[in-house]
Amino acid sequence: MRRAAVLVAALVAALWIASPAQAFAHNNVHSTSLHAVLDALTLLVASAPVWTALLWSGGNRWWLAALIAVVQIPVAIIGFVPIANPTCT
């Protein structure tokens, strides 16, 4: 039973880790509902560090959120710009 629990935990962890990367690679998704879900996941992934900084206790949390936003805004832009297919020339 422990082996099964470890295997299931490893599988869930791998899918959880891979989901942000998959959110950035959803250019060719033709299902509108799945595309909307992946867009929402992209927004969550890009904005999570900013919200974490804002929920942090401390006097300089707005400065920290602004510093993180400087990095995360380009990440969000990259997440929504279609990636060119390298096989097509």
Side-chain angles (χ1 to χ4, degrees):
M1 189 68 180
R2 284 187 194 166
R3 285 185 193 167
V6 169
L7 188 63
V8 168
L11 179 66
V12 169
L15 290 174
W16 195 351
I17 291 169
S19 63
Q22 292 300 319
F24 288 124
H26 69 277
N27 296 336
N28 294 325
V29 175
H30 298 293
S31 170
T32 55
S33 58
L34 181 59
H35 194 86
V37 168
L38 291 173
D39 281 343
L41 183 61
T42 301
L43 283 174
L44 286 173
V45 167
S47 66
V50 177
W51 288 112
T52 302
L54 287 175
L55 293 174
W56 206 282
S57 63
N60 294 328
R61 62 182 170 190
W62 287 100
W63 288 106
L64 179 62
L67 179 66
I68 293 171
V70 166
V71 175
Q72 289 304 108
I73 288 173
V75 169
I77 292 170
I78 290 169
F80 285 104
V81 173
I83 300 170
N85 188 354
T87 59
C88 294
T89 56

